[in-house]
Amino acid sequence: MKHLSRRTTTLSAAAGLLTAATLLVPPTASAADELKLSGYDVVAAPRSLPRFYPAVEAGTTVAGKVVIAVGTKPMTDPSGAGAGLPAGYRLNPNQCDLAPGYTGVLVCQEAPYIKPDTTVPADAVDTTLYWGFTYIPAGGDLATAVKEARSAGSLPADGRRGTGKVTVKSRAHALLNTIAFDTPAVPDGGTVRQQLRVHANDAGRLTLRFGRADGQLYADLAVRISDIITGPGATCEIRYETLPDDVPNLACELEPGDHVIGYALTGTAGQYAQKLHALTRYDIYDLGYWDESDVKLASAPFAVQGRTILPSHGLIARNTAGTLVDYSGTRSATAPLSGPYKIGSGWQTYTALTSLSPLKQGNYYWADQKPSARTRGLGDVVARDASGTLWYYDRQLVREKPFAARVKVGGGWNVYDRIDGAGDLDRDGYADLLARDKAGVLWLYKGTGSFTGARFTARVKVGGGWGAYDRLAGGADLTGDGRTDLLARDRAGVLWLYQGTGDATRPYTARTQIGGGWQGYDQLVVTGDLTDDGRADAVARDRSGVLWLYKGTGKATGTFTGRTRIGGGWNTYNHLF
């Protein structure tokens, strides 16, 4: 079936090319004498558009017409038994004409670019459609040609007449082709054999690829497929050796029957642990409908063993034109950020802008995941405009739109000279907000986790004296105790650590000095883990525009290792968070 399908496609394309080339040539008797047409059979899916038009193998139809008869019975009766199509099918003449006085007969002048076809209904049952054709020269008798087309199945095929058949196989028929999976775990640096057990009710084409299971974090993974073993009636080849890459790794042509297809998967030593699906498609059709015809099946998730994938963290920046961009995390200590990737413009209207927690990688499956419990903690953003109104931007997992439309929190926020994300200070699962008033009092607004009601509870006083600091940065656990901490730089350039307590009524312990000399930076952000070691890091921009990475140690003393230069040119941004 599949070899026939490829041949039909080739012939159809050739027919179109011949037509285009010969329409400019004046018709001659010799061109008509050289004409050679052939019919063909196809297997069609519901909602497909099978054609009723012969393949032009040689010559041209410019000098005459092709008469086509369509019906539900073989083309052996000149009177047209079974003429026409079943209920629910629509006959599309396209550039041909319906012959007046006849059922299911089309007359095609020359060789049309758009061939007549039928629309197979979505709920089609198993059905066979038959068509016959004959060529008549200019001035030929239509009635005689109709009888010849309707009886073409009982007449010798001579290049001027012939038949074709459309076998419609229903969705229920396609689902008789089944696949069972045997997918043990892939060892770290080792090899495992997996197999597919295929019941091929119909001859068809099987493809196998692998995808990440829902909810997985993304990390580079290179597993290799090899050593294919099949039995009689199955021909397989490896199309792409590494996985998962969203391309078919294995393709097989199967004859009807039961098949076992085995293959080896080999992991790379030191790879990230991951859960994958084996994803198969089985295609029994020559003519399908978009992406819906194949029988698609997925295995249960299976493990690729290795080291744990930790969420990657990134950084958001606003440039002087008001464009907001994000820099995604790479998990590399030497080059921890990639980007910039544009989020949107118009953000210059905000006088304060912060993420409630560090920008964090979401799960792999990005299919319009609107704000939900699944997206909490990935870096929701709040922004205050010039009028003092605070707006909330929920993080979402929608490609090219990392934040949902803003939601109004309320007015009166101009009483604060600093607004900073605090992370989940009280460990209730919701990110919190810090705000410092102009008297130096620090206030805590606890997050509610609500998507429809108030985003924060009433404020709680943290304490006074915070006017001594010109920079605050928090939102992540810097000391490895599971509680979010806060950095504060005083006006002399000394950096202080406030360890989180996990208690909203007394959120921080007494401060601990980290070190001096931090006055050289005009931006300071606690980013979360940039270096894939499970410890939160920080970045600081100096006044020449160089961005520096301070790798976290996970300890209260010696909180950071020495700084590492990330790159220059960061002074194009007026705010980092």
Side-chain angles (χ1 to χ4, degrees), residues 314-316 354-355 357-359 471-474 478 487 518 522-528 530 536-541 547-550 560 575-577:
L315 183 68
I316 297 179
T354 185
S355 57
S357 57
L359 183 69
R471 288 284 166 187
L472 299 176
L478 291 167
L487 297 178
W518 289 76
D522 59 7
Q523 296 285 326
L524 176 64
V525 184
V526 174
T527 57
L530 291 178
D537 306 308
V539 296
R541 184 187 69 185
L547 192 68
W548 299 89
L549 166 68
Y550 281 85
F560 300 109
H575 190 51
L576 305 178
F577 61 98

PDB file of all heavy atoms in Angstrom, residues 314-316 354-355 357-359 471-474 478 487 518 522-528 530 536-541 547-550 560 575-577:
ATOM      1  N   GLY A 314      16.775  32.502  36.329  1.00  0.00           N
ATOM      2  CA  GLY A 314      17.211  33.523  35.393  1.00  0.00           C
ATOM      3  C   GLY A 314      17.115  34.912  35.978  1.00  0.00           C
ATOM      4  O   GLY A 314      17.062  35.095  37.203  1.00  0.00           O
ATOM      5  N   LEU A 315      17.068  35.885  35.091  1.00  0.00           N
ATOM      6  CA  LEU A 315      17.116  37.293  35.489  1.00  0.00           C
ATOM      7  C   LEU A 315      16.247  38.085  34.525  1.00  0.00           C
ATOM      8  O   LEU A 315      16.204  37.802  33.327  1.00  0.00           O
ATOM      9  CB  LEU A 315      18.560  37.791  35.422  1.00  0.00           C
ATOM     10  CG  LEU A 315      18.859  39.213  35.872  1.00  0.00           C
ATOM     11  CD1 LEU A 315      18.646  39.360  37.374  1.00  0.00           C
ATOM     12  CD2 LEU A 315      20.305  39.580  35.516  1.00  0.00           C
ATOM     13  N   ILE A 316      15.528  39.079  35.043  1.00  0.00           N
ATOM     14  CA  ILE A 316      14.730  39.980  34.216  1.00  0.00           C
ATOM     15  C   ILE A 316      15.366  41.368  34.249  1.00  0.00           C
ATOM     16  O   ILE A 316      15.868  41.807  35.297  1.00  0.00           O
ATOM     17  CB  ILE A 316      13.271  40.038  34.699  1.00  0.00           C
ATOM     18  CG1 ILE A 316      12.625  38.656  34.570  1.00  0.00           C
ATOM     19  CG2 ILE A 316      12.474  41.050  33.888  1.00  0.00           C
ATOM     20  CD1 ILE A 316      11.185  38.608  35.052  1.00  0.00           C
ATOM     21  N   THR A 354       9.366  44.541  40.795  1.00  0.00           N
ATOM     22  CA  THR A 354      10.103  43.466  41.450  1.00  0.00           C
ATOM     23  C   THR A 354       9.408  42.138  41.228  1.00  0.00           C
ATOM     24  O   THR A 354       8.187  42.080  41.030  1.00  0.00           O
ATOM     25  CB  THR A 354      10.227  43.728  42.965  1.00  0.00           C
ATOM     26  OG1 THR A 354      11.047  42.707  43.556  1.00  0.00           O
ATOM     27  CG2 THR A 354       8.868  43.705  43.654  1.00  0.00           C
ATOM     28  N   SER A 355      10.178  41.073  41.220  1.00  0.00           N
ATOM     29  CA  SER A 355       9.589  39.734  41.253  1.00  0.00           C
ATOM     30  C   SER A 355       9.462  39.319  42.713  1.00  0.00           C
ATOM     31  O   SER A 355      10.298  39.678  43.550  1.00  0.00           O
ATOM     32  CB  SER A 355      10.447  38.728  40.487  1.00  0.00           C
ATOM     33  OG  SER A 355      11.757  38.690  41.000  1.00  0.00           O
ATOM     34  N   SER A 357       9.634  36.315  43.848  1.00  0.00           N
ATOM     35  CA  SER A 357      10.650  35.294  44.074  1.00  0.00           C
ATOM     36  C   SER A 357      11.489  35.221  42.807  1.00  0.00           C
ATOM     37  O   SER A 357      11.066  35.718  41.751  1.00  0.00           O
ATOM     38  CB  SER A 357      10.001  33.939  44.382  1.00  0.00           C
ATOM     39  OG  SER A 357       9.127  33.546  43.343  1.00  0.00           O
ATOM     40  N   PRO A 358      12.669  34.640  42.849  1.00  0.00           N
ATOM     41  CA  PRO A 358      13.520  34.624  41.656  1.00  0.00           C
ATOM     42  C   PRO A 358      12.837  33.965  40.460  1.00  0.00           C
ATOM     43  O   PRO A 358      12.040  33.037  40.606  1.00  0.00           O
ATOM     44  CB  PRO A 358      14.739  33.808  42.121  1.00  0.00           C
ATOM     45  CG  PRO A 358      14.802  34.024  43.595  1.00  0.00           C
ATOM     46  CD  PRO A 358      13.375  34.084  44.039  1.00  0.00           C
ATOM     47  N   LEU A 359      13.154  34.479  39.262  1.00  0.00           N
ATOM     48  CA  LEU A 359      12.634  33.904  38.029  1.00  0.00           C
ATOM     49  C   LEU A 359      13.099  32.458  37.911  1.00  0.00           C
ATOM     50  O   LEU A 359      14.296  32.167  37.934  1.00  0.00           O
ATOM     51  CB  LEU A 359      13.132  34.708  36.827  1.00  0.00           C
ATOM     52  CG  LEU A 359      12.602  34.272  35.463  1.00  0.00           C
ATOM     53  CD1 LEU A 359      11.118  34.576  35.350  1.00  0.00           C
ATOM     54  CD2 LEU A 359      13.371  34.969  34.349  1.00  0.00           C
ATOM     55  N   ARG A 471      19.910  49.406  49.381  1.00  0.00           N
ATOM     56  CA  ARG A 471      19.605  48.250  48.542  1.00  0.00           C
ATOM     57  C   ARG A 471      19.077  47.124  49.405  1.00  0.00           C
ATOM     58  O   ARG A 471      19.647  46.828  50.472  1.00  0.00           O
ATOM     59  CB  ARG A 471      20.837  47.740  47.791  1.00  0.00           C
ATOM     60  CG  ARG A 471      21.307  48.625  46.662  1.00  0.00           C
ATOM     61  CD  ARG A 471      20.430  48.492  45.429  1.00  0.00           C
ATOM     62  NE  ARG A 471      20.674  49.574  44.484  1.00  0.00           N
ATOM     63  CZ  ARG A 471      19.969  49.783  43.405  1.00  0.00           C
ATOM     64  NH1 ARG A 471      18.956  48.978  43.114  1.00  0.00           N
ATOM     65  NH2 ARG A 471      20.241  50.796  42.605  1.00  0.00           N
ATOM     66  N   LEU A 472      17.996  46.485  48.958  1.00  0.00           N
ATOM     67  CA  LEU A 472      17.482  45.272  49.573  1.00  0.00           C
ATOM     68  C   LEU A 472      17.322  44.238  48.463  1.00  0.00           C
ATOM     69  O   LEU A 472      16.912  44.557  47.346  1.00  0.00           O
ATOM     70  CB  LEU A 472      16.128  45.498  50.245  1.00  0.00           C
ATOM     71  CG  LEU A 472      16.064  46.511  51.399  1.00  0.00           C
ATOM     72  CD1 LEU A 472      14.620  46.659  51.867  1.00  0.00           C
ATOM     73  CD2 LEU A 472      16.959  46.079  52.558  1.00  0.00           C
ATOM     74  N   ALA A 473      17.648  42.985  48.759  1.00  0.00           N
ATOM     75  CA  ALA A 473      17.521  41.915  47.761  1.00  0.00           C
ATOM     76  C   ALA A 473      17.243  40.611  48.501  1.00  0.00           C
ATOM     77  O   ALA A 473      18.001  40.223  49.391  1.00  0.00           O
ATOM     78  CB  ALA A 473      18.793  41.792  46.925  1.00  0.00           C
ATOM     79  N   GLY A 474      16.150  39.971  48.141  1.00  0.00           N
ATOM     80  CA  GLY A 474      15.808  38.719  48.807  1.00  0.00           C
ATOM     81  C   GLY A 474      15.016  37.811  47.896  1.00  0.00           C
ATOM     82  O   GLY A 474      15.050  37.930  46.674  1.00  0.00           O
ATOM     83  N   LEU A 478      19.529  31.599  51.085  1.00  0.00           N
ATOM     84  CA  LEU A 478      20.969  31.733  50.874  1.00  0.00           C
ATOM     85  C   LEU A 478      21.786  30.888  51.831  1.00  0.00           C
ATOM     86  O   LEU A 478      22.977  30.653  51.583  1.00  0.00           O
ATOM     87  CB  LEU A 478      21.389  33.203  51.035  1.00  0.00           C
ATOM     88  CG  LEU A 478      20.902  34.162  49.946  1.00  0.00           C
ATOM     89  CD1 LEU A 478      21.108  35.604  50.382  1.00  0.00           C
ATOM     90  CD2 LEU A 478      21.651  33.891  48.638  1.00  0.00           C
ATOM     91  N   LEU A 487      19.184  40.224  51.772  1.00  0.00           N
ATOM     92  CA  LEU A 487      20.420  40.995  51.776  1.00  0.00           C
ATOM     93  C   LEU A 487      20.081  42.473  51.872  1.00  0.00           C
ATOM     94  O   LEU A 487      19.114  42.938  51.264  1.00  0.00           O
ATOM     95  CB  LEU A 487      21.223  40.754  50.496  1.00  0.00           C
ATOM     96  CG  LEU A 487      21.733  39.338  50.237  1.00  0.00           C
ATOM     97  CD1 LEU A 487      22.458  39.288  48.892  1.00  0.00           C
ATOM     98  CD2 LEU A 487      22.646  38.866  51.359  1.00  0.00           C
ATOM     99  N   TRP A 518      30.726  46.980  48.835  1.00  0.00           N
ATOM    100  CA  TRP A 518      29.634  46.733  47.906  1.00  0.00           C
ATOM    101  C   TRP A 518      29.039  48.028  47.342  1.00  0.00           C
ATOM    102  O   TRP A 518      28.111  47.983  46.524  1.00  0.00           O
ATOM    103  CB  TRP A 518      28.545  45.915  48.606  1.00  0.00           C
ATOM    104  CG  TRP A 518      28.972  44.489  48.852  1.00  0.00           C
ATOM    105  CD1 TRP A 518      29.818  44.048  49.814  1.00  0.00           C
ATOM    106  CD2 TRP A 518      28.572  43.335  48.105  1.00  0.00           C
ATOM    107  NE1 TRP A 518      29.991  42.693  49.724  1.00  0.00           N
ATOM    108  CE2 TRP A 518      29.223  42.218  48.681  1.00  0.00           C
ATOM    109  CE3 TRP A 518      27.723  43.133  47.023  1.00  0.00           C
ATOM    110  CZ2 TRP A 518      29.068  40.928  48.194  1.00  0.00           C
ATOM    111  CZ3 TRP A 518      27.564  41.837  46.551  1.00  0.00           C
ATOM    112  CH2 TRP A 518      28.226  40.758  47.119  1.00  0.00           C
ATOM    113  N   ASP A 522      25.475  49.240  41.502  1.00  0.00           N
ATOM    114  CA  ASP A 522      24.216  49.983  41.480  1.00  0.00           C
ATOM    115  C   ASP A 522      22.996  49.071  41.280  1.00  0.00           C
ATOM    116  O   ASP A 522      21.861  49.547  41.253  1.00  0.00           O
ATOM    117  CB  ASP A 522      24.238  51.093  40.430  1.00  0.00           C
ATOM    118  CG  ASP A 522      24.473  50.574  39.014  1.00  0.00           C
ATOM    119  OD1 ASP A 522      24.493  49.335  38.801  1.00  0.00           O
ATOM    120  OD2 ASP A 522      24.631  51.408  38.095  1.00  0.00           O
ATOM    121  N   GLN A 523      23.229  47.782  41.101  1.00  0.00           N
ATOM    122  CA  GLN A 523      22.155  46.800  41.031  1.00  0.00           C
ATOM    123  C   GLN A 523      22.593  45.550  41.791  1.00  0.00           C
ATOM    124  O   GLN A 523      23.753  45.125  41.678  1.00  0.00           O
ATOM    125  CB  GLN A 523      21.823  46.418  39.579  1.00  0.00           C
ATOM    126  CG  GLN A 523      21.269  47.548  38.727  1.00  0.00           C
ATOM    127  CD  GLN A 523      19.824  47.869  39.047  1.00  0.00           C
ATOM    128  OE1 GLN A 523      19.030  46.997  39.386  1.00  0.00           O
ATOM    129  NE2 GLN A 523      19.469  49.147  38.929  1.00  0.00           N
ATOM    130  N   LEU A 524      21.667  44.971  42.544  1.00  0.00           N
ATOM    131  CA  LEU A 524      21.954  43.769  43.325  1.00  0.00           C
ATOM    132  C   LEU A 524      20.697  42.896  43.321  1.00  0.00           C
ATOM    133  O   LEU A 524      19.616  43.360  43.666  1.00  0.00           O
ATOM    134  CB  LEU A 524      22.332  44.145  44.760  1.00  0.00           C
ATOM    135  CG  LEU A 524      22.567  42.976  45.736  1.00  0.00           C
ATOM    136  CD1 LEU A 524      23.765  42.139  45.301  1.00  0.00           C
ATOM    137  CD2 LEU A 524      22.787  43.525  47.154  1.00  0.00           C
ATOM    138  N   VAL A 525      20.848  41.629  42.903  1.00  0.00           N
ATOM    139  CA  VAL A 525      19.702  40.726  42.786  1.00  0.00           C
ATOM    140  C   VAL A 525      20.078  39.359  43.347  1.00  0.00           C
ATOM    141  O   VAL A 525      21.121  38.812  42.994  1.00  0.00           O
ATOM    142  CB  VAL A 525      19.261  40.559  41.317  1.00  0.00           C
ATOM    143  CG1 VAL A 525      18.003  39.676  41.240  1.00  0.00           C
ATOM    144  CG2 VAL A 525      19.010  41.904  40.651  1.00  0.00           C
ATOM    145  N   VAL A 526      19.224  38.830  44.216  1.00  0.00           N
ATOM    146  CA  VAL A 526      19.328  37.426  44.608  1.00  0.00           C
ATOM    147  C   VAL A 526      18.567  36.632  43.545  1.00  0.00           C
ATOM    148  O   VAL A 526      17.357  36.790  43.385  1.00  0.00           O
ATOM    149  CB  VAL A 526      18.741  37.179  46.013  1.00  0.00           C
ATOM    150  CG1 VAL A 526      18.724  35.687  46.320  1.00  0.00           C
ATOM    151  CG2 VAL A 526      19.562  37.927  47.059  1.00  0.00           C
ATOM    152  N   THR A 527      19.283  35.792  42.812  1.00  0.00           N
ATOM    153  CA  THR A 527      18.726  35.175  41.600  1.00  0.00           C
ATOM    154  C   THR A 527      18.219  33.758  41.794  1.00  0.00           C
ATOM    155  O   THR A 527      17.570  33.211  40.897  1.00  0.00           O
ATOM    156  CB  THR A 527      19.799  35.116  40.508  1.00  0.00           C
ATOM    157  OG1 THR A 527      20.923  34.389  41.031  1.00  0.00           O
ATOM    158  CG2 THR A 527      20.235  36.504  40.094  1.00  0.00           C
ATOM    159  N   GLY A 528      18.485  33.133  42.900  1.00  0.00           N
ATOM    160  CA  GLY A 528      18.282  31.695  42.953  1.00  0.00           C
ATOM    161  C   GLY A 528      19.505  30.995  42.392  1.00  0.00           C
ATOM    162  O   GLY A 528      20.560  31.607  42.159  1.00  0.00           O
ATOM    163  N   LEU A 530      21.926  29.732  39.941  1.00  0.00           N
ATOM    164  CA  LEU A 530      22.348  29.907  38.559  1.00  0.00           C
ATOM    165  C   LEU A 530      23.356  28.862  38.109  1.00  0.00           C
ATOM    166  O   LEU A 530      23.584  28.704  36.910  1.00  0.00           O
ATOM    167  CB  LEU A 530      22.968  31.294  38.355  1.00  0.00           C
ATOM    168  CG  LEU A 530      22.045  32.510  38.449  1.00  0.00           C
ATOM    169  CD1 LEU A 530      22.863  33.784  38.277  1.00  0.00           C
ATOM    170  CD2 LEU A 530      20.946  32.438  37.402  1.00  0.00           C
ATOM    171  N   ALA A 536      21.522  29.041  46.222  1.00  0.00           N
ATOM    172  CA  ALA A 536      21.129  30.320  45.637  1.00  0.00           C
ATOM    173  C   ALA A 536      22.338  31.223  45.458  1.00  0.00           C
ATOM    174  O   ALA A 536      23.248  31.252  46.295  1.00  0.00           O
ATOM    175  CB  ALA A 536      20.089  30.998  46.517  1.00  0.00           C
ATOM    176  N   ASP A 537      22.323  31.968  44.353  1.00  0.00           N
ATOM    177  CA  ASP A 537      23.403  32.879  44.012  1.00  0.00           C
ATOM    178  C   ASP A 537      22.877  34.312  43.952  1.00  0.00           C
ATOM    179  O   ASP A 537      21.685  34.568  44.130  1.00  0.00           O
ATOM    180  CB  ASP A 537      24.000  32.491  42.650  1.00  0.00           C
ATOM    181  CG  ASP A 537      24.420  31.026  42.603  1.00  0.00           C
ATOM    182  OD1 ASP A 537      25.161  30.599  43.502  1.00  0.00           O
ATOM    183  OD2 ASP A 537      23.969  30.311  41.679  1.00  0.00           O
ATOM    184  N   ALA A 538      23.771  35.235  43.683  1.00  0.00           N
ATOM    185  CA  ALA A 538      23.400  36.637  43.506  1.00  0.00           C
ATOM    186  C   ALA A 538      24.214  37.215  42.367  1.00  0.00           C
ATOM    187  O   ALA A 538      25.297  36.710  42.032  1.00  0.00           O
ATOM    188  CB  ALA A 538      23.637  37.429  44.786  1.00  0.00           C
ATOM    189  N   VAL A 539      23.668  38.277  41.751  1.00  0.00           N
ATOM    190  CA  VAL A 539      24.428  39.020  40.757  1.00  0.00           C
ATOM    191  C   VAL A 539      24.429  40.490  41.152  1.00  0.00           C
ATOM    192  O   VAL A 539      23.491  40.980  41.785  1.00  0.00           O
ATOM    193  CB  VAL A 539      23.850  38.852  39.329  1.00  0.00           C
ATOM    194  CG1 VAL A 539      23.954  37.419  38.857  1.00  0.00           C
ATOM    195  CG2 VAL A 539      22.415  39.350  39.245  1.00  0.00           C
ATOM    196  N   ALA A 540      25.501  41.185  40.775  1.00  0.00           N
ATOM    197  CA  ALA A 540      25.635  42.607  41.075  1.00  0.00           C
ATOM    198  C   ALA A 540      26.244  43.293  39.855  1.00  0.00           C
ATOM    199  O   ALA A 540      27.164  42.756  39.223  1.00  0.00           O
ATOM    200  CB  ALA A 540      26.522  42.819  42.297  1.00  0.00           C
ATOM    201  N   ARG A 541      25.722  44.469  39.508  1.00  0.00           N
ATOM    202  CA  ARG A 541      26.249  45.229  38.379  1.00  0.00           C
ATOM    203  C   ARG A 541      27.036  46.410  38.881  1.00  0.00           C
ATOM    204  O   ARG A 541      26.554  47.181  39.727  1.00  0.00           O
ATOM    205  CB  ARG A 541      25.106  45.721  37.487  1.00  0.00           C
ATOM    206  CG  ARG A 541      25.611  46.439  36.225  1.00  0.00           C
ATOM    207  CD  ARG A 541      24.470  47.067  35.448  1.00  0.00           C
ATOM    208  NE  ARG A 541      23.885  48.199  36.163  1.00  0.00           N
ATOM    209  CZ  ARG A 541      22.807  48.859  35.729  1.00  0.00           C
ATOM    210  NH1 ARG A 541      22.214  48.482  34.611  1.00  0.00           N
ATOM    211  NH2 ARG A 541      22.341  49.880  36.419  1.00  0.00           N
ATOM    212  N   LEU A 547      28.461  42.936  34.802  1.00  0.00           N
ATOM    213  CA  LEU A 547      27.659  42.105  35.700  1.00  0.00           C
ATOM    214  C   LEU A 547      28.536  41.014  36.284  1.00  0.00           C
ATOM    215  O   LEU A 547      29.283  40.341  35.569  1.00  0.00           O
ATOM    216  CB  LEU A 547      26.485  41.483  34.943  1.00  0.00           C
ATOM    217  CG  LEU A 547      25.406  40.830  35.811  1.00  0.00           C
ATOM    218  CD1 LEU A 547      24.661  41.892  36.620  1.00  0.00           C
ATOM    219  CD2 LEU A 547      24.419  40.058  34.935  1.00  0.00           C
ATOM    220  N   TRP A 548      28.428  40.860  37.611  1.00  0.00           N
ATOM    221  CA  TRP A 548      29.254  39.895  38.334  1.00  0.00           C
ATOM    222  C   TRP A 548      28.362  38.858  39.021  1.00  0.00           C
ATOM    223  O   TRP A 548      27.297  39.176  39.543  1.00  0.00           O
ATOM    224  CB  TRP A 548      30.096  40.609  39.399  1.00  0.00           C
ATOM    225  CG  TRP A 548      31.040  41.639  38.833  1.00  0.00           C
ATOM    226  CD1 TRP A 548      30.791  42.956  38.601  1.00  0.00           C
ATOM    227  CD2 TRP A 548      32.385  41.403  38.410  1.00  0.00           C
ATOM    228  NE1 TRP A 548      31.883  43.580  38.072  1.00  0.00           N
ATOM    229  CE2 TRP A 548      32.886  42.656  37.944  1.00  0.00           C
ATOM    230  CE3 TRP A 548      33.218  40.295  38.389  1.00  0.00           C
ATOM    231  CZ2 TRP A 548      34.186  42.802  37.459  1.00  0.00           C
ATOM    232  CZ3 TRP A 548      34.525  40.434  37.904  1.00  0.00           C
ATOM    233  CH2 TRP A 548      34.994  41.669  37.451  1.00  0.00           C
ATOM    234  N   LEU A 549      28.833  37.625  38.980  1.00  0.00           N
ATOM    235  CA  LEU A 549      28.160  36.519  39.662  1.00  0.00           C
ATOM    236  C   LEU A 549      28.827  36.268  40.999  1.00  0.00           C
ATOM    237  O   LEU A 549      30.052  36.118  41.084  1.00  0.00           O
ATOM    238  CB  LEU A 549      28.229  35.247  38.814  1.00  0.00           C
ATOM    239  CG  LEU A 549      27.861  33.939  39.520  1.00  0.00           C
ATOM    240  CD1 LEU A 549      26.377  33.916  39.871  1.00  0.00           C
ATOM    241  CD2 LEU A 549      28.230  32.729  38.654  1.00  0.00           C
ATOM    242  N   TYR A 550      28.007  36.235  42.061  1.00  0.00           N
ATOM    243  CA  TYR A 550      28.464  35.804  43.384  1.00  0.00           C
ATOM    244  C   TYR A 550      27.837  34.438  43.661  1.00  0.00           C
ATOM    245  O   TYR A 550      26.636  34.333  43.910  1.00  0.00           O
ATOM    246  CB  TYR A 550      28.055  36.821  44.451  1.00  0.00           C
ATOM    247  CG  TYR A 550      28.964  38.030  44.495  1.00  0.00           C
ATOM    248  CD1 TYR A 550      28.751  39.110  43.635  1.00  0.00           C
ATOM    249  CD2 TYR A 550      30.050  38.077  45.355  1.00  0.00           C
ATOM    250  CE1 TYR A 550      29.586  40.220  43.658  1.00  0.00           C
ATOM    251  CE2 TYR A 550      30.893  39.183  45.385  1.00  0.00           C
ATOM    252  CZ  TYR A 550      30.654  40.242  44.539  1.00  0.00           C
ATOM    253  OH  TYR A 550      31.493  41.343  44.557  1.00  0.00           O
ATOM    254  N   PHE A 560      29.057  33.841  50.111  1.00  0.00           N
ATOM    255  CA  PHE A 560      29.402  33.803  48.700  1.00  0.00           C
ATOM    256  C   PHE A 560      30.874  33.498  48.513  1.00  0.00           C
ATOM    257  O   PHE A 560      31.716  33.847  49.349  1.00  0.00           O
ATOM    258  CB  PHE A 560      29.092  35.153  48.022  1.00  0.00           C
ATOM    259  CG  PHE A 560      27.648  35.550  48.092  1.00  0.00           C
ATOM    260  CD1 PHE A 560      27.243  36.600  48.910  1.00  0.00           C
ATOM    261  CD2 PHE A 560      26.687  34.889  47.352  1.00  0.00           C
ATOM    262  CE1 PHE A 560      25.925  36.988  48.975  1.00  0.00           C
ATOM    263  CE2 PHE A 560      25.357  35.259  47.421  1.00  0.00           C
ATOM    264  CZ  PHE A 560      24.967  36.305  48.230  1.00  0.00           C
ATOM    265  N   HIS A 575      17.068  48.689  35.371  1.00  0.00           N
ATOM    266  CA  HIS A 575      16.569  47.906  36.500  1.00  0.00           C
ATOM    267  C   HIS A 575      16.761  46.423  36.215  1.00  0.00           C
ATOM    268  O   HIS A 575      16.475  45.951  35.110  1.00  0.00           O
ATOM    269  CB  HIS A 575      15.083  48.198  36.743  1.00  0.00           C
ATOM    270  CG  HIS A 575      14.550  47.614  38.019  1.00  0.00           C
ATOM    271  ND1 HIS A 575      15.157  47.808  39.241  1.00  0.00           N
ATOM    272  CD2 HIS A 575      13.469  46.826  38.264  1.00  0.00           C
ATOM    273  CE1 HIS A 575      14.474  47.178  40.173  1.00  0.00           C
ATOM    274  NE2 HIS A 575      13.440  46.569  39.605  1.00  0.00           N
ATOM    275  N   LEU A 576      17.268  45.724  37.212  1.00  0.00           N
ATOM    276  CA  LEU A 576      17.418  44.266  37.147  1.00  0.00           C
ATOM    277  C   LEU A 576      16.650  43.667  38.316  1.00  0.00           C
ATOM    278  O   LEU A 576      16.655  44.198  39.419  1.00  0.00           O
ATOM    279  CB  LEU A 576      18.896  43.851  37.245  1.00  0.00           C
ATOM    280  CG  LEU A 576      19.891  44.451  36.236  1.00  0.00           C
ATOM    281  CD1 LEU A 576      21.306  43.946  36.535  1.00  0.00           C
ATOM    282  CD2 LEU A 576      19.499  44.098  34.806  1.00  0.00           C
ATOM    283  N   PHE A 577      16.001  42.545  38.099  1.00  0.00           N
ATOM    284  CA  PHE A 577      15.320  41.854  39.198  1.00  0.00           C
ATOM    285  C   PHE A 577      15.113  40.385  38.851  1.00  0.00           C
ATOM    286  O   PHE A 577      15.336  39.951  37.729  1.00  0.00           O
ATOM    287  CB  PHE A 577      13.994  42.532  39.545  1.00  0.00           C
ATOM    288  CG  PHE A 577      12.984  42.582  38.434  1.00  0.00           C
ATOM    289  CD1 PHE A 577      11.967  41.640  38.372  1.00  0.00           C
ATOM    290  CD2 PHE A 577      13.015  43.583  37.463  1.00  0.00           C
ATOM    291  CE1 PHE A 577      11.015  41.687  37.372  1.00  0.00           C
ATOM    292  CE2 PHE A 577      12.069  43.649  36.473  1.00  0.00           C
ATOM    293  CZ  PHE A 577      11.070  42.693  36.405  1.00  0.00           C
TER     294      PHE A 577
END
